[in-house]
Amino acid sequence: GQLLRLTAAVPGDTAECGVYRGADSYRICDFNASLPDASRTHFMFDSFQGLSAPTVADGTHWKKGDLSSPLEVAEQALVEFQHKVFLPGWIPDRFPEVEDRSFAFVHVDVDLYEPTRDSIAFFYPRLAPGGIFLCDDYGFASCPGATRAVDEFLEDKPEKAISLSDGAGFFIKGC
């Protein structure tokens, strides 16, 4: 919630990669609905089939199919919100459908190297100045690939990931 509040005046929509059962998307949609114009659309990307196959970069904690939850569970959790779009499928297959949009807040919670890398590469140039990119898995021992993907992507960028005390990491897009 604190990071979302920092984006109240930032133009653009919101997105989540890795929706699971919709709890984080609920918080984002609720925040968007509280804004004076309430016009932000929240875009949700998830396979709804669990994780893709981990690579060597991901360690041994996860297996293909872990964290599977049906689309209907997330749809039911978010039924009260209007400005939302579910884009089921594997990351990054559905990203082209929002390539013309800009984003104020992007939450990535996909646990693995490749989808985290693909998500940051797609959303970084579409993040509005002052927009926030939050990687839920950043810094967790169980998600070394996600941390590596963020750090590698930001190596030649002015932004650097800031670790949160309870896990996760974020950056604010510069001008």
Side-chain angles (χ1 to χ4, degrees), residues 21-128:
R21 295 183 175 132
D24 289 318
S25 277
Y26 185 95
R27 284 190 279 282
I28 295 167
C29 287
D30 191 50
F31 175 78
N32 289 351
S34 77
L35 294 172
D37 69 358
S39 65
R40 280 185 181 169
T41 299
H42 184 58
F43 294 94
M44 293 165 281
F45 300 88
D46 197 302
S47 70
F48 296 101
Q49 297 175 45
L51 298 178
S52 56
T55 66
V56 173
D58 297 307
T60 59
H61 183 81
W62 300 111
K63 294 177 197 59
K64 182 178 181 176
D66 282 353
L67 304 173
S68 179
S69 182
L71 171 61
E72 295 76 25
V73 171
E75 287 175 330
Q76 188 58 41
L78 302 169
V79 71
E80 70 189 82
F81 300 108
Q82 293 179 350
H83 301 288
K84 65 182 186 297
V85 178
F86 287 95
L87 295 155
W90 295 103
I91 289 170
D93 295 347
R94 303 288 304 265
F95 286 173
E97 295 173 52
V98 298
E99 67 186 359
D100 61 335
R101 302 189 87 97
S102 70
F103 293 87
F105 186 85
V106 176
H107 180 235
V108 174
D109 186 0
V110 292
D111 304 284
L112 304 176
Y113 177 80
E114 288 181 357
T116 301
R117 178 200 63 206
D118 293 345
S119 296
I120 193 171
F122 178 81
F123 285 104
Y124 180 86
R126 292 166 179 83
L127 204 58

